[in-house]
Amino acid sequence: MSLTKAILSEADRTFTARFEKHYDELKWLYCELYQDVPDPMEHLVSLVSGMHAYYNERKPSLKESDLRREADPDWYKRNDLYGMMLYVNCFSETLKGLEEKLDYISECNVNYLHLMPLLASPKGRSDGGYAVADFRQVQPDLGTMDDFSRVADKCHERGINIALDFVMNHTSEDHEWAKRARAGEREYQDRYFFFDTFDIPAMYEKTCPQVFPTTAPGNFTWLEDCRKHVMTTFYPYQWDLNYRNPEVLNEMVFNMLYLANRGVDIIRLDAVPYIWKQLGTNCRNLPQVHTIVRMMRIICEIVCPGVLMLGEVVMAPDKVAPYFGTPEKPECHMLYNVTTMASTWNTVATRDAGLLKRQLDILASLPRTYIFQNYLRCHDDIGWGLDYDYLSAFGIEEGAHKKYLNDYLTGKWPDSFSRGELYNDDPRLRDARLCGTTASLVGVERFGFEGNRAGVDRGVTYDITLHAFMMSQSGIPVLYSGDEIGMLNDYSYKKDPDKAADSRYLHRGDFRWDLAERRNEEGTVQYRLFHALDKLAHIRAAHSVFEAEVPFRTLDTWDQSTLALVRENDEEKFIGIYNFSEFDRVAWINEEDGIYTDLISGREMEARGVQIPAFGCYWLLRKK
Ligand code: GLC
């Protein structure tokens, strides 16, 4: 009897059925990836036996949810998921504190809560929690793993799904493996990329670009104590894991399954394009990355099929969609809609919706089974991964254009309402990125400080319009915590030596509960935003036309600052119209099919030559 048969003889019918469905493919992929390893089957068998152990350990309520979701595989593709991402320390200090704040989360209509990294991570060398020292321990300031499981249970009782990062490209230098590697244990050095001399690192440096050119230059770090170079694509304290070693893959899969068993519904695969390194390449998006992601998907389908994989693929537009895999061999369930996000801010700075329209046209041509996570802001900077091949046809040169965007959005232009800050400004490449909260980028900060009420009003209108645009895109909308009350930039990070060099902390400030209190005080910024977003969320959930698999297309508006987006199913036709300019405009659309109702204002109108106020929007709907 083979070892896998021995495992299966102990397994229940559910596990066996899932296993039999997928094992052949898993075996092929694993043995192909590890063909140079002496006995790949031995490693595969220990992977499978671990999978079985995690399946057995999974608690009944999670197994029930797996079965329900297996029977309804489109459960996340409808119009009823609405997300928010937040840092527990900023929002509620601790996980126990979060339990007490769940009413607020529900009041925001949120049923998909992304808790930013909360696992053990050394203070001052944590990259916002993205340098994990122990995948099975919660950062002690935030609570314990039991607290986490309890919050997850409480969320599940309310119908809230939990997303958590799985930081798989690297560990902290304080992780046990790293410590043992540093102490000279060969087995652990082989889990990372260790080199005695700089010869090979120098060869990597020739083709491998830098992620943090200013805050963490280079892709390697010299370890004086053990006199070796270690690969560190991100910060020097984040050591890249070597997935050529099957032990690394197996152990990291077990860490992922451990977290899934604590109640995580959505696993965010952090920095996934970077996980396979190869000399002579840029070490991003290599075919082996897709093999690993596909294997992880299979592993989840066998052990915990209710769990979704969200890929963090912040890459050029053509590199993103391949992470969905194919319909027969899917990889991630969901991906960030990073190009639309960046193109939106490009439109804000230029008032020209052309590139954004083109981006939506590209998305519209993708299979409807691809589910994107839409967002305006997140914890990271805005990188200008725009379609410069397309823009160059209009004489737009990448360096100069990025400079314009950054100058505009940091308020350097006299007419700019934005108050952003640069991030990793690399003068050599002219490639700075941008930080700031939505409200600060759309004028609420500048005009608030200037005491200009009309300006603030206009900023709030724009803030609502951008959210309406984001929420009408195909996929799952995710709010950045604080945006629902128009939180502004928080400059206090500059006084904290652990944060001062990383301007992403500009938009990672403590949640302002004092401002949230004002969400029911009429006339306040918080009131206007909170209730507008609440209304949009209700509208979205009430109309089937917002389901992710409903086709969409753009319309020509013959006006460069307006964008019109149509979504249509058998029951309804929706037209979202957005004005990205400070002037009233006319969207010269001509849909000759009767009277529409603007779901936001209740006004009735034809979808022809639509006049649209400065920075305003319409959500027109017609029942069929
Ligand atoms: C991801 C995270 C980012 C972090 C990086 C390294 O890109 O979103 O915040 O710095 O991974 O882990």
Side-chain angles (χ1 to χ4, degrees):
M1 189 160 68
S2 76
L3 273 169
T4 41
K5 283 221 175 86
I7 294 164
L8 282 184
S9 69
E10 312 256 305
D12 70 14
R13 280 189 23 220
T14 308
F15 185 86
T16 312
R18 290 176 188 156
F19 183 80
E20 281 173 349
K21 181 167 168 205
H22 291 293
Y23 180 61
D24 198 36
E25 191 192 343
L26 180 62
K27 184 166 125 188
W28 269 98
L29 293 173
Y30 199 92
C31 292
E32 185 189 41
L33 189 68
Y34 293 122
Q35 53 185 291
D36 298 335
V37 170
D39 188 358
M41 278 308 288
E42 203 178 296
H43 295 283
L44 179 60
V45 168
S46 67
L47 175 70
V48 170
S49 108
M51 285 162 58
H52 185 225
Y54 282 98
Y55 170 79
N56 282 341
E57 187 220 64
R58 201 158 163 77
K59 62 183 174 187
S61 58
L62 296 177
K63 283 189 174 169
E64 272 163 36
S65 139
D66 289 336
L67 291 174
R68 264 198 316 277
R69 290 174 177 179
E70 242 181 338
D72 178 20
D74 290 345
W75 68 272
Y76 61 99
K77 298 182 181 169
R78 308 213 172 87
N79 51 336
D80 51 358
L81 271 189
Y82 183 48
M84 177 183 274
M85 53 191 295
L86 57 81
Y87 284 95
V88 173
N89 58 330
C90 297
F91 183 73
S92 55
E93 288 181 15
T94 62
L95 286 164
K96 284 214 171 85
L98 176 61
E99 253 181 71
E100 283 148 33
K101 302 287 189 199
L102 288 179
D103 282 344
Y104 178 80
I105 300 293
S106 295
E107 197 186 324
C108 293
N109 306 295
V110 164
N111 55 9
Y112 160 8
L113 189 59
H114 176 186
L115 301 178
M116 299 304 293
L118 45 73
L119 299 178
S121 181
K123 195 176 159 345
R125 291 173 291 126
S126 90
D127 184 22
Y130 285 100
V132 178
D134 187 340
F135 290 92
R136 294 167 188 234
Q137 204 199 319
V138 166
Q139 179 66 30
D141 308 349
L142 302 176
T144 63
M145 199 44 93
D146 285 343
D147 293 341
F148 175 76
S149 290
R150 209 183 33 250
V151 166
D153 284 343
K154 289 258 150 61
C155 284
H156 292 156
E157 280 165 24
R158 291 171 176 253
I160 301 174
N161 297 284
I162 294 281
L164 197 70
D165 283 87
F166 181 51
V167 185
M168 62 182 299
N169 177 68
H170 43 257
T171 72
S172 153
E173 61 179 345
D174 282 16
H175 189 280
E176 196 207 326
W177 299 351
K179 285 187 184 156
R180 297 179 75 162
R182 200 166 207 155
E185 284 189 55
R186 185 62 201 266
E187 186 193 335
Y188 291 92
Q189 292 185 349
D190 286 348
R191 295 187 181 200
Y192 300 95
F193 296 87
F194 268 62
F195 301 97
D196 294 329
T197 67
F198 202 69
D199 298 336
I200 296 175
M203 286 158 79
Y204 272 108
E205 291 290 15
K206 280 197 186 129
T207 53
C208 198
Q210 304 183 28
V211 182
F212 299 144
T214 334
T215 46
N219 289 297
F220 293 86
T221 299
W222 170 246
L223 304 175
E224 183 57 38
D225 46 355
C226 62
R227 306 203 62 75
K228 294 210 190 273
H229 299 272
V230 64
M231 185 183 259
T232 52
T233 301
F234 292 84
Y235 280 107
Y237 50 75
Q238 289 165 315
W239 294 10
D240 289 73
L241 286 168
N242 186 354
Y243 281 88
R244 281 172 195 275
N245 178 346
E247 275 313 293
V248 168
L249 179 71
N250 287 7
E251 291 296 325
M252 289 304 282
V253 162
F254 300 151
N255 285 331
M256 175 182 78
L257 295 177
Y258 173 87
L259 295 171
N261 280 357
R262 304 279 94 55
V264 178
D265 301 274
I266 296 138
I267 305 240
R268 177 185 182 273
L269 302 181
D270 179 61
V272 64
Y274 301 84
I275 61 174
W276 194 270
K277 319 292 194 286
Q278 172 101 42
L279 258 186
T281 72
N282 66 358
C283 298
R284 280 133 172 85
N285 310 301
L286 296 176
Q288 293 86 346
V289 174
H290 290 279
T291 304
I292 293 176
V293 176
R294 174 69 192 141
M295 287 198 285
M296 290 168 74
R297 172 75 180 251
I298 292 175
I299 291 164
C300 286
E301 300 276 2
I302 296 173
V303 180
C304 49
V307 170
L308 302 180
M309 290 181 2
L310 163 67
E312 193 228 357
V313 182
V314 179
M315 289 283 150
D318 61 322
K319 295 290 184 297
V320 177
Y323 284 87
F324 283 117
T326 63
E328 298 77 30
K329 296 184 192 309
E331 295 178 22
C332 294
H333 296 84
M334 304 190 290
L335 294 173
Y336 283 88
N337 199 345
V338 57
T339 312
T340 305
M341 181 280 292
S343 305
T344 303
W345 290 107
N346 169 70
T347 312
V348 169
T350 60
R351 274 79 162 161
D352 184 341
L355 182 70
L356 188 54
K357 177 178 182 312
R358 178 185 147 86
Q359 162 62 9
L360 295 182
D361 290 339
I362 293 172
L363 290 180
S365 68
L366 296 176
R368 305 274 15 98
T369 48
Y370 289 3
I371 306 299
F372 281 99
Q373 175 159 313
N374 299 308
Y375 62 115
L376 283 177
R377 293 296 300 112
C378 72
H379 67 296
D380 278 332
D381 48 291
I382 305 170
W384 300 115
L386 306 175
D387 189 344
Y388 280 105
D389 284 343
Y390 170 75
L391 288 175
S392 67
F394 302 91
I396 293 175
E397 189 264 321
E398 182 167 344
H401 187 68
K402 284 181 177 170
K403 180 163 175 5
Y404 168 76
L405 297 175
N406 286 325
D407 283 351
Y408 187 86
L409 292 167
T410 53
K412 290 213 180 82
W413 286 71
D415 69 333
S416 168
F417 44 72
S418 293
R419 287 291 178 264
E421 278 189 358
L422 293 187
Y423 176 69
N424 266 283
D425 183 10
D426 186 352
R428 223 171 13 106
L429 299 173
R430 297 197 295 163
D431 195 24
R433 286 117 76 174
L434 191 98
C435 296
T437 69
T438 306
S440 288
L441 293 178
V442 296
V444 180
E445 176 173 331
R446 173 184 160 180
F447 296 122
F449 277 110
E450 290 174 4
N452 176 343
R453 276 203 71 134
V456 171
D457 269 359
R458 213 176 54 168
V460 173
T461 302
Y462 204 9
D463 198 321
I464 296 168
T465 288
L466 293 180
H467 277 94
F469 170 55
M470 187 267 283
M471 286 165 72
S472 64
Q473 287 164 32
S474 176
I476 301 166
V478 177
L479 282 181
Y480 189 56
S481 167
D483 273 1
E484 76 282 9
I485 51 163
M487 256 174 63
L488 303 180
N489 293 338
D490 181 340
Y491 297 91
S492 66
Y493 79 95
K494 292 177 197 281
K495 292 191 210 109
D496 181 340
D498 291 342
K499 298 180 177 164
D502 193 332
S503 54
R504 291 177 298 179
Y505 286 99
L506 181 66
H507 52 254
R508 295 178 183 174
D510 284 345
F511 188 75
R512 294 284 306 272
W513 286 102
D514 55 330
L515 296 180
E517 291 296 313
R518 303 171 80 183
R519 67 189 180 278
N520 292 320
E521 247 174 68
E522 249 177 271
T524 61
V525 166
Q526 295 73 33
Y527 177 91
R528 271 195 69 197
L529 267 168
F530 193 89
H531 293 280
L533 298 194
D534 178 64
K535 184 165 195 177
L536 295 172
H538 279 107
I539 298 173
R540 187 177 169 276
H543 292 276
S544 62
V545 79
F546 291 108
E547 292 187 356
E549 294 197 287
V550 170
F552 70 96
R553 62 195 154 88
T554 61
L555 295 175
D556 275 324
T557 61
W558 307 102
D559 175 272
Q560 73 168 21
S561 296
T562 58
L563 184 94
L565 163 73
V566 179
R567 305 184 61 157
E568 192 166 2
N569 64 7
D570 292 343
E571 293 154 23
E572 302 173 319
K573 177 168 171 187
F574 165 86
I575 310 178
I577 313 176
Y578 308 93
N579 182 354
F580 290 88
S581 126
E582 62 273 55
F583 301 108
D584 296 354
R585 296 282 195 165
V586 177
W588 294 105
I589 58 172
N590 194 9
E591 300 294 284
E592 294 178 316
D593 50 9
I595 299 293
Y596 285 74
T597 306
D598 173 30
L599 297 172
I600 303 172
S601 65
R603 252 181 69 195
E604 301 209 320
M605 62 179 92
E606 283 187 296
R608 302 170 63 178
V610 179
Q611 285 205 17
I612 178 155
F615 294 142
C617 68
Y618 292 127
W619 271 15
L620 303 186
L621 189 105
R622 192 174 66 76
K623 290 255 179 224
K624 288 191 172 168

